[in-house]
Structure formats: structure tokens, C-alpha cells
Amino acid sequence: MRAVVTGGAGFLGSNLCDKLLAEGWHVLALDNFITGAKGNLSHLAKSKKFKFQKADVSKPLKVAGKVGYVLHFASPASPPDYLKHPIATMMVGSVGTQNALELALAKKAKFFLASTSECYGDPEVSPQHEEYWGHVNPIGPRGVYDEAKRFSEAMTMAYHRYYKLDTHIVRIFNTYGPRMRLHDGRALPNFVYQALSGKPLTIYGDGLQTRSFCYVDDLIDGIYRLMMSDEHLPTNVGNPQEITILEFAERIRKHFDHAPPIVFKPLPQDDPKRRCPDITKARRILKWEPKVGLDEGLKLTLAYFKEVFRKR
Ligand code: UDP
């Protein structure tokens, strides 16, 4: 029971390492810190079952010893991050995915791909079910992430069909919780940072675009169930509670006594208008659904961010 987690120092990667260790796995985390943080793993420094190796998974990978599972979570994932690192994002989704697949093949290990709701692009159907092929602008600013992840899904299915590799693919919808970076540029950390520092909360566009926010513990539970399942086709994991960004900002403001006002800024190009997972499949095959409501999840996340803000 030894797993390799690429992107192990990231928000989701580090939460996944904790879950794997709690389930009795030995874990080797790989990260090049392009968007990950050492601090996300510092609490594991003394664990005998945990090891870290600094590595860029877009370069050929060398991992010693037996491996039972390779979980590929390495990638910038916040829109400002992948706009800042467009080539690295494309490389880790393409070459990085192949390197991780090759590692699984060489070690006779299972493989798990962290994919994304961005595969659906700016969707014409809502909620999004797994059979929907998506509506992606390949050459727009978000194309570097969306197309890299679509390629990574195609590559994973190719290794599954050609080499009979035991592969699994999760499509992750918006997720929040402890270990998100305060300055990663996504809606939740932006609003929280702005509220904590007395700046107006920036809504892009009219704020009527929707997202569906899943608390990280729920997401990791769904991921663990999927990795232990026999399902090979992509599976949505996310919270189906859909909310406009304007309402989301209001819900965050309610957690502050003196929250600053809201200001409107231009909508970024190709910003999806709706995003909501259809989790019928996850409910059926994984017996999974999210348990943490938005206000409870926000309370836990705000406690974390307040601490980070205080120590900065
Ligand atoms: N957004 C916003 N203000 C911000 C940051 C984001 O209104 O300060 C909007 C963004 O345009 C998008 C939604 O919030 O419609 C979610 O953005 P995020 O970057 O969190 O993730 P996405 O779902 O777009 O990948």
C-alpha cells in the first residue's frame, strides 16, 4: 500500500496525502512548488509513512521502490495561476500526465487522474452530467487548462484501453477549504482576503454566473471512494448546491461584522456562466454525496484563513 501523489504539496494534493495516510497507505508526495507550498506538508515531517521528493513531473520521473497507486494531482488550477503559467500548465497536463501514466505502468500500479469540470467549458447543459462533451474555446485564455485536462483524460483512457492499465478519472468541481492559498486569485480566497483587509469585494461581471462549492473533506472522501472502485470512466465529484457568485459573496460577508461593500469588475473572457455537477453517478456507484453545507464549510475555512492572515 504505497501511493505516489503528484502535486502533493498543493491544496487538494496535501489533503489527499492526509486521507491516504489515515487509511493506512505509505505516501510519496512529489511537487515542484510552482503553486504548492511546503507548509501544506510540514505537519507530516515526522511521519514514518510519509516521504517528499521535489520533482517536476513534466520531466522524466524516477521513483525508487514499489508503488501500488499513482495519483496525478499536479497542475496550477486557479485561473490567474494558469494564465500566469500557460506553458507549464499545458506541459503538466500532457507530458506530466504521460510521465505519471508511465510510472504506473512500470510499477504495475493503478492510476488516478485529477480532472476537472473545466472539461465542460462554458456548458450549454446544466447540471453537467458525465456524457456531456463540453463547450470549450481551445484558443481562449482558459484553453491552456481546459485542453490540457481534456488531453489528460484522453491519454488516460488510451493507456487504459491499450495497456489495460487500471485507471480512474475524477472531474472535480469548485472546491474550498483549509490550505487554499490566500492569494491564489479564486473567488473565495479573494473575497475573504478583501473582507479581512477592509477592501471592497470584487465581483466579475454582474455576478449572476453560478458555481457549486464543495468542502474539501467531502471531495477527498468522494475521491477516495472512486480510487477504490472499479469505475474507469470520468466521474463528477462536487457539491450540486448551485449559487450565483453575487449570493456567494453575500454569504461570505455575513460571516464578518463589518464587511466592506461589493464592487463590480469586468468579466474575464470565457468565464463559464453556469457550473453545477450532476452527481447521480457518484451517488449510485460510490454511495457518495457531500455532507458539509456552505455555511458550515465557510466557518471552517474562514477560521483557517484568519489564522493565515494574522501570521502573514
Ligand atoms: N470571481 C469574481 N471575483 C473574484 C474572483 C472570481 O467574481 O475576485 C468569479 C469568476 O469570474 C467566476 C467565479 O467567480 O465567475 C469563480 O471563479 P474562480 O476563479 O473561483 O474559479 P472558476 O470556477 O472560474 O475556475
Side-chain angles (χ1 to χ4, degrees):
M1 294 253 289
R2 180 168 180 250
V4 171
V5 179
T6 79
F11 164 45
L12 295 184
S14 64
N15 277 289
L16 177 64
C17 289
D18 285 348
K19 171 73 174 172
L20 291 168
L21 290 162
E23 296 287 342
W25 291 77
H26 288 249
V27 175
L28 170 66
L30 308 177
D31 210 296
N32 66 349
F33 299 120
I34 186 171
T35 54
K38 279 187 187 135
N40 286 342
L41 297 173
S42 49
H43 62 292
L44 300 177
K46 290 204 175 98
S47 165
K48 287 205 172 66
K49 289 183 156 187
F50 179 77
K51 290 228 156 28
F52 177 80
Q53 191 176 308
K54 190 167 180 216
D56 177 352
V57 295
S58 300
K59 308 258 164 63
L61 277 182
K62 273 203 192 104
V63 171
K66 287 187 177 171
V67 177
Y69 225 126
V70 177
L71 299 112
H72 185 39
F73 276 68
S75 179
S78 152
D81 280 339
Y82 52 74
L83 297 182
K84 195 164 141 205
H85 306 287
I87 314 290
T89 301
M90 295 220 72
M91 292 306 280
V92 76
S94 54
V95 178
T97 301
Q98 193 182 16
N99 287 341
L101 283 160
E102 282 292 324
L103 178 66
L105 197 62
K107 301 284 184 183
K108 297 189 173 45
K110 297 183 182 189
F111 179 81
F112 190 98
L113 174 69
S115 185
T116 167
S117 57
E118 282 288 323
C119 287
Y120 302 122
D122 187 7
E124 299 130 311
V125 299
S126 202
Q128 293 84 54
H129 55 80
E130 288 87 349
E131 283 75 36
Y132 177 53
W133 291 349
H135 181 227
V136 170
N137 174 4
I139 54 164
R142 297 174 87 102
V144 294
Y145 185 63
D146 301 12
E147 295 297 5
K149 287 293 186 181
R150 285 161 70 97
F151 177 92
S152 67
E153 287 196 4
M155 193 61 140
T156 301
M157 291 310 298
Y159 270 69
H160 175 65
R161 293 189 177 114
Y162 189 79
Y163 291 116
K164 311 277 179 269
L165 193 68
D166 188 348
T167 61
H168 306 264
I169 302 174
V170 64
R171 290 197 182 135
I172 298 170
F173 284 66
N174 294 64
T175 303
Y176 68 101
R179 302 199 196 138
M180 274 187 117
R181 280 146 57 226
L182 194 54
H183 295 292
D184 93 350
R186 280 185 270 206
L188 183 139
N190 270 8
F191 296 158
V192 172
Y193 177 73
Q194 289 158 351
L196 286 170
S197 47
K199 295 180 181 146
L201 275 60
T202 53
I203 298 277
Y204 301 159
D206 58 12
L208 298 181
Q209 68 273 32
T210 69
R211 294 294 185 272
S212 308
F213 294 92
C214 187
Y215 188 65
V216 64
D217 290 0
D218 279 335
L219 184 96
I220 296 292
D221 179 38
I223 283 174
Y224 191 73
R225 285 170 192 245
L226 182 59
M227 86 178 247
M228 301 309 281
S229 80
D230 296 327
E231 180 60 27
H232 303 298
L233 293 172
T235 304
N236 290 340
V237 175
N239 192 318
Q241 244 205 338
E242 191 176 6
I243 184 170
T244 67
I245 291 301
L246 199 53
E247 166 70 12
F248 185 56
E250 288 295 352
R251 292 282 279 273
I252 292 174
R253 284 179 88 239
K254 278 189 195 138
H255 287 262
F256 291 85
D257 293 336
H258 306 287
I262 279 170
V263 293
F264 292 89
K265 300 267 177 186
L267 188 69
Q269 189 190 332
D270 298 332
D271 198 282
K273 283 179 269 312
R274 293 193 71 177
R275 192 181 285 149
C276 177
D278 181 333
I279 58 163
T280 310
K281 182 179 171 188
R283 280 197 173 105
R284 189 181 72 246
I285 66 167
L286 308 177
K287 308 278 174 270
W288 175 87
E289 63 180 4
K291 293 191 179 76
V292 182
L294 187 56
D295 282 316
E296 189 190 345
L298 281 180
K299 216 183 264 176
L300 297 164
T301 309
L302 287 176
Y304 170 79
F305 274 131
K306 279 182 184 164
E307 196 57 22
V308 171
F309 187 81
R310 199 178 57 79
K311 286 191 188 150
R312 84 196 189 291

